[in-house]
Amino acid sequence: MSLRWPIPHHQRSWRTSDALLALPLGLIGAIALVDALTPNGVPLGPLLIVAPAITASFAGAFLTGVIGAISVVALLAVNLTHPDAHLSGMYFDSQIIALLVVTVIVTLFRYLRERHGRELAQVRTVSEATQRALLRPLPHRIGPLWVASVYLAAEEQALIGGDLYAAVRTKGATRLIIGDVMGKGLTAVGDAALLLGAFREAGHRQSSLPGLVAYLDHSVRWNLAEPTAQEAAGECFITAAVIDILDALPQMRMVTCGHPPPLLLRDQQAIPLRATSPAPPLGLGELTIPDYHVDTFTLLPGDLLLLHTDGVVEARNGSGVFYPLVDRVAAWAQGSPPELVHHLSEDLLAHVGGRLTDDAAMIAIQRTSPAVREAGEELAATERADVAPAAFHYAPGAGAFLPQ
C-alpha cells in the first residue's frame, strides 16, 4: 500500500521565511527613507501598514507581530522627521491606531491559521495510524508471490475510505480479498473494518472459499443490521472478490460477489477473469440463496494479476469518459507489480485531473515460484487468447507439476 506520508520540510520552510523577511523590512526602510527625503505634505508613513500584512502571508504570528511593532517604530521615526507637518496631532494618532489595529488583526488571523494547521496535522496523524491499523500494508512478498498495492482515497484530507483489501496465509496457499463498501465517509470505513476483521479471523481456519465467503456474508448481515437501524439494513452491502493462489500449482481460485473481474496480464494482453456464476454482494445473501461458485484460472510464473475496485474503471475525465483500464494496463504488462501500480495510479489521477470522485484500490500480484515455472511452460504455448481452468498432477520423474 502506498502511504502518503508527509515529507519533513521544516528546515527549508524556515530558510525561505527567513529570506522573505527582507521584503517587509526593506519596505519599512524604503518608506521611511523616501518619506524623510520628500517635501512636507506628501505623507508616505501610512504605507507602512503593508509590511505586517505581507509578513502574515508567509511568516508565523510571532514574526508578524514583530514586523508590526517595527512598523509602528518606523512611523514614529517618520513623524519625527516632520514634527510640524503632515503627521501631527489627530492625523498622526489615527495613523498609529490604524497600524496597530491592522497588526493585531493579521497577527490574530495568522495565529488562528497556525492553530488550524496543527489541528489538521494531528487529524492526519490519527488518520494515518487508523489506516495502518485497519488497512494494513500488504507485504512485498507473500509465499511465492510478489505483491504491490495502492489506495487512492476520494475524500479530501482522507487516507482511507470504503475500499478494502487484505491477505492471509493458509496451508499451501495465499488468500486475498478485495472489496468495496457501498457509500462513503465514516460509515463506509466502519463497514470496511468489520469485513476486514471477519476475513482475518476466519481466513486462516476456513477450509474452502465457499465456506469463507458464506461466513463473511453472515458477518456483514449480522453486524450491519443494527437494532436501531433495521430499516437501513437492506441498503448495506459490500462487493468483494475472494481469491486463493496455490503455492504448488499454477492456479488461482476465485469467488466473486458482485465485484469487477480481475485482469490477467500475459503476453502484453489484459484478459478479464470473469466469474461464470457471480454471487450477490456480501450482506444481500438473505435476499436469495447464493451459490458460491469457485472459478479456477491458470496463473503462470511471470503472469501479472491485477485486482481493482470499481473506483478505477468508473473514474471519469472532464468529458465524462470512463478510465480505459484494459487498454492502458496492457502497456505495462511487462513491468513488475510495483511498477504497474505506480504507472496506473499516476495515469488514473492524470485522467481525472487529479481528483477522484470515488475511492480506488489496486493490487498487482506476480508468481515467482521456480517450481511452478517448469510446469507452466507447456501451458504458456497453448494459452494465449483465453484463460481456461486447468488441472495438474505431480510427475515424480519430471520433478514438476504437469497438466492432466
Side-chain angles (χ1 to χ4, degrees), residues 162-176:
D163 288 4
L164 59 99
Y165 52 75
V168 297
R169 286 287 294 166
T170 62
K171 186 177 180 180
T174 299
R175 183 163 284 176
L176 301 104

Side-chain angles (χ1 to χ4, degrees), residues 134-135 164-166 177 191-201:
L134 175 59
L135 198 64
L164 59 99
Y165 52 75
I177 185 173
D191 296 344
L194 182 151
L195 182 60
L196 286 172
F199 174 78
R200 291 176 180 135
E201 189 272 336

